[in-house]
Amino acid sequence: EDKVVQSPLSLVVHEGDTVTLNCSYEVTNFRSLLWYKQEKKAPTFLFMLTSSGIEKKSGRLSSILDKKELFSILNITATQTGDSAVYLCAVNSGGYQKVTFGTGTKLQVIP
Amino acid sequence: SAVISQKPSRDICQRGTSLTIQCQVDSQVTMMFWYRQQPGQSLTLIATANQGSEATYESGFVIDKFPISRPNLTFSTLTVSNMSPEDSSIYLCSVDKGEGGHYGYTFGSGTRLTVV
């Protein structure tokens, strides 16, 4: 059974801090790893990673994938209160369009 | 990427009743997916809806409880039938992004269901 594990489960930081969120996975026929930000109900897409060692960057957010060690990290620099959300990691695997989600990391940024 | 309109946004329902959730996509898509997110949990796939065929349900979900319609390539509905408090969840529809054989999902705005 495919598995995606995120850590930490929750995190409280002060504005301006840098945070690193972790995602490890065990899946059959890995295709891609996805990061989402969930603030209220709907997750919003952040990154799709398919190749090891290539950093994807969007503003203060960046992510990288290690396919040998089966994990990914999401970095957020100079955090702001608007970064407070649940960050979900998911893996697309198999011939069928299957996406397995982790339980998420709840990030709270306090002023 | 696709834009998905989902409604209702939220509802409070009596146990034993049914609720139908609708998703409208602004472009034609082959597959639509329905997820459930129970309180404090991650997203769990309920079923995949293809136009013109019966939905494919994941383990633990059955058609009698979660009937799905997919009448065309831009629309789908999920019904939560004979509801109990355990059905209180966020329900999300999504479509595949489908870039070069890799799938990342765009989500509707979600339906927060509370069963009392």
Side-chain angles (χ1 to χ4, degrees), chain A residues 51-66:
Chain A
S51 301
S52 275
I54 299 175
E55 185 182 54
K56 292 225 173 174
K57 202 168 168 64
S58 176
R60 296 176 294 103
L61 276 67
S62 63
S63 184
I64 198 161
L65 173 67
D66 185 328

Side-chain angles (χ1 to χ4, degrees), chain B:
Chain B
S1 60
V3 176
I4 308 173
S5 299
Q6 182 173 344
K7 59 182 181 182
S9 174
R10 61 176 60 226
D11 209 340
I12 301 174
C13 299
Q14 297 289 325
R15 68 176 67 200
T17 63
S18 299
L19 176 71
T20 295
I21 302 167
Q22 300 180 6
C23 275
Q24 178 75 51
V25 190
D26 69 344
S27 57
Q28 293 185 342
V29 293
T30 306
M31 292 176 139
M32 293 182 73
F33 304 88
W34 287 97
Y35 282 85
R36 180 176 74 180
Q37 188 176 29
Q38 294 178 300
Q41 304 294 315
S42 191
L43 279 70
T44 301
L45 181 65
I46 297 171
T48 303
N50 289 320
Q51 192 268 334
S53 63
E54 277 199 10
T56 303
Y57 288 82
E58 298 298 306
S59 175
F61 297 97
V62 295
I63 188 171
D64 290 346
K65 176 67 175 176
F66 298 101
I68 287 171
S69 78
R70 185 82 202 275
N72 57 52
L73 291 173
T74 64
F75 187 78
S76 180
T77 67
L78 169 78
T79 298
V80 186
S81 303
N82 189 25
M83 289 184 285
S84 66
E86 292 70 35
D87 295 319
S88 298
S89 295
I90 295 172
Y91 292 85
L92 293 152
C93 64
S94 69
V95 301
D96 59 75
K97 193 165 182 178
E99 292 180 351
H102 301 279
Y103 290 84
Y105 292 157
T106 301
F107 286 87
S109 51
T111 298
R112 187 182 300 275
L113 170 62
T114 302
V115 183
V116 297

Side-chain angles (χ1 to χ4, degrees), chain A residues 34-74:
Chain A
L34 309 152
W35 283 98
Y36 295 87
K37 179 182 182 182
Q38 186 178 29
E39 292 179 86
K40 292 182 180 177
K41 291 181 292 184
T44 53
F45 176 81
L46 295 175
F47 298 113
M48 177 188 290
L49 302 158
T50 57
S51 301
S52 275
I54 299 175
E55 185 182 54
K56 292 225 173 174
K57 202 168 168 64
S58 176
R60 296 176 294 103
L61 276 67
S62 63
S63 184
I64 198 161
L65 173 67
D66 185 328
K67 290 168 73 174
K68 183 179 175 186
E69 300 297 329
L70 308 183
F71 79 90
S72 174
I73 60 172
L74 175 69

